[in-house]
Amino acid sequence: MMQRAPQPSCFDRVKVGFMIGFAVGMSSAALFGTYSALKYGLRGRELVSSIGKIMLQGGGTFGVFMSVGTAIRC
């Protein structure tokens, strides 16, 4: 008789949902943030700083939404 693998807990699912959302949010924010920062004329250190902030904000926002959606499904 084969044993089944244990199912992940609800908290583990929410964590994975947040991590996936964070990664997707950061990548999309990198694309759109780079475009908008270059459009506004930012260069050098200002460009890198601006893109970093935009990526963290986008990743955090999308990660929260994905984790809430995952928690609803638990």
Side-chain angles (χ1 to χ4, degrees):
M1 198 187 288
M2 296 182 66
Q3 288 184 348
R4 290 186 177 182
Q7 295 292 323
S9 68
C10 186
F11 182 69
D12 289 335
R13 290 180 184 180
V14 170
K15 283 192 309 187
V16 169
F18 179 80
M19 289 188 291
I20 291 171
F22 193 81
V24 170
M26 280 189 68
S27 61
S28 65
L31 293 173
F32 296 120
T34 302
Y35 173 74
S36 65
L38 289 173
K39 187 173 73 170
Y40 288 128
L42 298 180
R43 298 290 187 261
R45 196 172 294 212
E46 290 176 330
L47 177 69
V48 173
S49 173
S50 174
I51 292 172
K53 289 177 190 174
I54 291 170
M55 286 175 68
L56 286 176
Q57 288 174 349
T61 302
F62 201 74
V64 167
F65 283 120
M66 284 285 289
S67 64
V68 168
T70 306
I72 290 172
R73 291 183 50 151
C74 280

